[in-house]
Amino acid sequence: MKERIKKIILNKNLYYFIMITFVFFGTFAKMEYATDTYCTLAFSIRETITQFAALGRYIVILFLGILKLIKLKPESIYFISFALSLVCMIISLFKVYNMIMEDVKDNILRIIIPVLIILNIFSIELFLFIEKGVMLFSILACVLAAEKMKKWLENKQKRYIIQACIYMLIANFSYQGVIGIFVAISLIYILKYSKNIKDFIVNNIAVACTYGIPTIIDYILVKFTVRGDRVNGEIILSESIKKIMANTRKNDK
């Protein structure tokens, strides 16, 4: 274990990712006050539970709940969340780098590819929220799930797909907006490890289930434990179609 840690620390590529992450997101070290930040900081612990339980983000509840329970100042909460987000981003980049090592021989490309997949202009939005640490933790969980799925595709050992499902459940409990990263990475390895049509179909089903089952579990927990506008309410397809047709005729007139 010590040797493994030493090897990681001495890996110069890790420091490339640290530098890149700070260049992209270092400016967020200064506390910013987006509208959501004001609301989240103003929430009591009960309001925090109600708000994020309705979204299925139970790890956000745990994270913010603990920080509020020990009565940290808003600046301290923000800094801890920011620091966590940087750590998760760096680890995610380094994990993807190691995943593609045997497939991409050029080291510069091995550095660029994780940046394009994980650290890109779309991830900047995540840093605008005070719960950014948990949002980036969700990305890390997706990367870890993809790593386990890659191992399952290599040798079909059940423990890897179970571990991948657990990581995806954690990702869903953190922030559902980034879980597509798991599929994006896994599809590459489906193509690599599918020797025939049967393998291709089985591997796609495995990835779909690993993605879908944790998502359904999160949805069910929200649906049956919390009344939230995003998951409650009856949808009647026929009535929706009638309204669309009626409005379309009005616009034509």
Side-chain angles (χ1 to χ4, degrees):
M1 186 67 178
K2 289 183 179 180
E3 287 298 321
R4 187 179 178 183
I5 294 173
K6 183 179 179 181
K7 185 178 179 181
I8 293 172
I9 292 174
L10 294 177
N11 191 322
K12 65 180 181 180
N13 297 295
L14 173 63
Y15 298 96
Y16 291 151
F17 291 124
I18 291 174
M19 181 179 67
I20 292 169
T21 299
F22 272 91
V23 167
F24 268 78
F25 305 114
T27 184
F28 290 100
K30 183 179 179 182
M31 187 168 180
E32 42 78 31
Y33 291 94
T35 304
D36 290 71
T37 301
Y38 279 113
C39 293
T40 305
L41 289 174
F43 285 154
S44 64
I45 294 178
R46 178 173 291 183
E47 288 170 331
T48 299
I49 293 172
T50 302
Q51 173 68 20
F52 290 103
L55 303 176
R57 300 176 190 172
Y58 304 107
I59 293 179
V60 176
I61 295 172
L62 185 64
F63 177 73
L64 292 177
I66 291 173
L67 295 181
K68 288 189 174 188
L69 191 63
I70 59 178
K71 298 182 179 180
L72 287 181
K73 294 181 179 179
E75 293 81 5
S76 298
I77 294 175
Y78 182 90
F79 179 79
I80 291 171
S81 185
F82 172 70
L84 177 61
S85 67
L86 293 186
V87 171
C88 290
M89 174 62 76
I90 292 165
I91 296 174
S92 298
L93 292 170
F94 193 62
K95 279 286 183 182
V96 174
Y97 171 87
N98 285 294
M99 282 176 63
I100 65 174
M101 186 173 292
E102 62 185 51
D103 302 305
V104 181
K105 303 305 178 184
D106 186 85
N107 193 57
I108 294 177
L109 276 178
R110 286 203 298 258
I111 294 173
I112 292 174
I113 290 172
V115 172
L116 293 176
I117 295 174
I118 306 297
L119 188 158
N120 51 61
I121 58 173
F122 300 105
S123 63
I124 293 175
E125 180 188 6
L126 303 181
F127 280 81
L128 300 178
F129 299 89
I130 193 166
E131 65 269 24
K132 63 190 74 180
V134 181
M135 289 179 164
L136 270 294
F137 180 67
S138 182
I139 290 179
L140 176 57
C142 290
V143 170
L144 293 173
E147 181 183 48
K148 296 301 180 182
M149 180 55 65
K150 177 177 179 263
K151 290 182 179 180
W152 180 82
L153 290 167
E154 289 173 346
N155 54 45
K156 295 296 190 291
Q157 292 186 24
K158 290 182 181 179
R159 63 190 175 98
Y160 290 126
I161 201 167
I162 292 172
Q163 290 169 354
C165 284
I166 292 171
Y167 280 127
M168 285 305 294
L169 190 60
I170 292 171
N172 275 278
F173 285 174
S174 300
Y175 176 61
Q176 302 89 347
V178 298
I179 58 177
I181 291 173
F182 165 75
V183 177
I185 298 174
S186 297
L187 284 175
I188 298 170
Y189 292 102
I190 286 176
L191 295 174
K192 178 180 178 181
Y193 292 107
S194 297
K195 298 178 181 179
N196 49 54
I197 296 297
K198 181 182 177 182
D199 284 347
F200 181 75
I201 293 172
V202 170
N203 292 339
N204 270 282
I205 291 173
V207 169
C209 289
T210 305
Y211 173 87
I213 291 173
T215 304
I216 292 170
I217 291 172
D218 190 37
Y219 175 82
I220 290 172
L221 285 174
V222 175
K223 183 73 174 177
F224 291 101
T225 61
V226 180
R227 293 191 59 82
D229 293 336
R230 296 195 183 188
V231 295
N232 282 285
E234 186 179 4
I235 298 175
I236 304 174
L237 184 60
S238 60
E239 292 298 323
S240 298
I241 294 173
K242 288 179 182 178
K243 288 180 181 179
I244 292 172
M245 296 300 294
N247 287 329
T248 301
R249 284 194 292 268
K250 285 181 182 179
N251 291 332
D252 288 340
K253 292 178 183 178

